[in-house]
Amino acid sequence: MRGTTVLPGEGNSGLPGGEGMPTHRLEVPMPNALPFAIGTFDTIGPMSRAPFPHRHTFHEIVHITGGTGEHVVDLGRFALRPPNLCFVAPGQVHHWEGVTGLAGHVILFTDDFLLDHPADRSALRVLGRRSWLELPGEAAERTERLIAELDGEYRAGADGFQSVLRALLHVLVVRSARLPARHPAAAGVEPRSRSGSVAAEFVALLGTPEGALLSVHACARHLGVSVSYLGEAVKASTGRTPGELIRQARVHEAKRLLLRTELSVRQVAARVGFGDPAYFCRFFRRETGARPGDFRRGGGDIHHDHRLESIARAHRRA
């Protein structure tokens, strides 16, 4: 009997303080259980339509075939107009607002499940930055058939089903990456050069809550390159320095926490690597033009944040 993958209720993120933003994990209760699950919103459970901001340590793909309301991913707010396809990467913050009649499928899996197609990790993070896809005509029919195959294969659990699931998921990722973005500049492709690959890995690292806290030196060590090589690679691919992108990542994470949690400004400052709240406030105002408290009271920028998308655009030109 094969193990099952279950979604727990709530858990702390493991970030300093251990409170504020719930982080959900895929837990594998039996040895060698599959780090993958697919089901409807009802079979996955109420956490699949959670109305409060939270993060995952895993990837989530949502295929929406019915319902009304809004899906909020990071600083972007998207109205349901089924059929839609949504990608949420590990570390992104999302929740549902005013949703009724929500129908479709939810696919959950970890990076470990992508053994056969490791390049899909980068593609999924690019899709996470685009987040929300509309499915016109034939694309809607192909996607529905493909997800039905994934669901049927998962529930049947026949011999070799793991490799079939990985192959079908790979096809879904590749086909989704071909779909037009809401903003064409959000589309991205795998970089061809070694320096482009390092820059892409650096951007992916900054897309995680923990990565945004690292220094340039720590990022270089994590990626196994020298500080000078990292600087040259990132500058060539994005037109910006690693330090600039780290500052942007910290601002992005601070915005997430200010808008989606009740943490104090002092706690937010600590979460994004500032021991001195006053210095954090000056930094935030310099980068955004607003004080943290004013940003929170004003509801923040509810439009989609394009900073990471512009990085993806630079990769596309690499």
Side-chain angles (χ1 to χ4, degrees):
M1 179 177 178
R2 64 185 176 87
T4 57
T5 306
V6 296
L7 182 66
E10 284 189 10
N12 290 332
S13 66
L15 294 174
E19 59 183 28
M21 183 76 67
T23 297
H24 302 160
R25 294 172 171 82
L26 279 177
E27 294 180 350
V28 181
M30 296 173 57
N32 302 317
L34 197 65
F36 177 96
I38 180 173
T40 65
F41 287 95
D42 290 333
T43 59
I44 291 294
M47 298 309 301
S48 64
R49 53 169 73 86
F52 55 86
H54 62 284
R55 286 189 168 104
H56 302 149
T57 62
F58 51 88
H59 297 273
E60 178 173 353
I61 302 175
V62 184
H63 180 226
I64 302 161
T65 57
T68 60
E70 293 183 318
H71 192 199
V72 181
V73 184
D74 283 338
L75 306 179
R77 186 178 297 271
F78 306 98
L80 273 63
R81 296 187 181 90
N84 294 118
L85 200 58
C86 178
F87 292 80
V88 182
Q92 287 188 290
V93 178
H94 81 121
H95 69 281
W96 303 84
E97 285 190 5
V99 171
T100 58
L102 188 60
H105 279 80
V106 180
I107 306 172
L108 313 172
F109 55 95
T110 67
D111 274 342
D112 292 338
F113 188 68
L114 303 173
L115 293 174
D116 295 344
H117 304 283
D120 285 355
R121 297 177 186 179
S122 296
L124 283 161
R125 283 175 169 79
V126 170
L127 285 165
R129 292 192 290 271
R130 294 170 59 182
S131 187
W132 195 255
L133 301 177
E134 296 180 356
L135 298 171
E138 187 178 347
E141 296 175 6
R142 284 201 310 265
T143 300
E144 186 169 359
R145 288 196 300 267
L146 186 54
I147 289 178
E149 283 192 71
L150 274 163
D151 185 53
E153 192 71 28
Y154 178 72
R155 286 187 289 105
D159 289 346
F161 80 105
Q162 297 98 328
S163 60
V164 176
L165 287 174
R166 289 187 174 98
L168 291 172
L169 180 62
H170 174 64
V171 173
L172 178 62
V173 171
V174 171
R175 286 182 177 173
S176 299
R178 295 173 181 168
L179 292 172
R182 286 170 59 92
H183 307 283
V189 298
E190 281 293 292
R192 294 183 176 85
S193 66
R194 165 61 178 158
S195 64
S197 296
V198 168
E201 291 173 18
F202 174 73
V203 170
L205 179 61
L206 295 189
T208 67
E210 296 82 3
L213 299 178
L214 299 176
S215 66
V216 175
H217 282 78
C219 288
R221 284 197 304 271
H222 181 86
L223 298 174
V225 298
S226 68
V227 171
S228 60
Y229 185 87
L230 178 64
E232 292 171 0
V234 170
K235 183 73 172 179
S237 292
T238 70
R240 283 170 280 184
T241 68
E244 289 172 331
L245 297 185
I246 287 174
R247 289 195 296 275
Q248 288 183 355
R250 290 186 177 185
V251 169
H252 190 69
E253 178 65 5
K255 284 184 174 182
R256 284 171 165 168
L257 296 173
L258 288 167
L259 290 180
R260 310 302 181 207
T261 75
E262 295 182 359
L263 294 172
S264 67
V265 171
R266 177 183 293 274
Q267 289 172 313
V268 170
R271 291 291 180 90
V272 295
F274 290 85
D276 181 354
Y279 180 67
F280 166 70
C281 291
R282 292 195 297 272
F283 164 82
F284 190 88
R285 186 175 185 182
R286 184 179 71 241
E287 296 292 326
T288 68
R291 297 182 179 89
D294 294 338
F295 177 82
R296 170 176 272 169
R297 284 189 291 273
D301 177 10
I302 64 172
H303 301 290
H304 194 58
D305 193 308
H306 298 292
R307 286 196 300 269
L308 292 180
E309 291 181 353
S310 66
I311 297 171
R313 181 171 67 249
H315 285 161
R316 190 164 146 226
R317 291 198 300 264

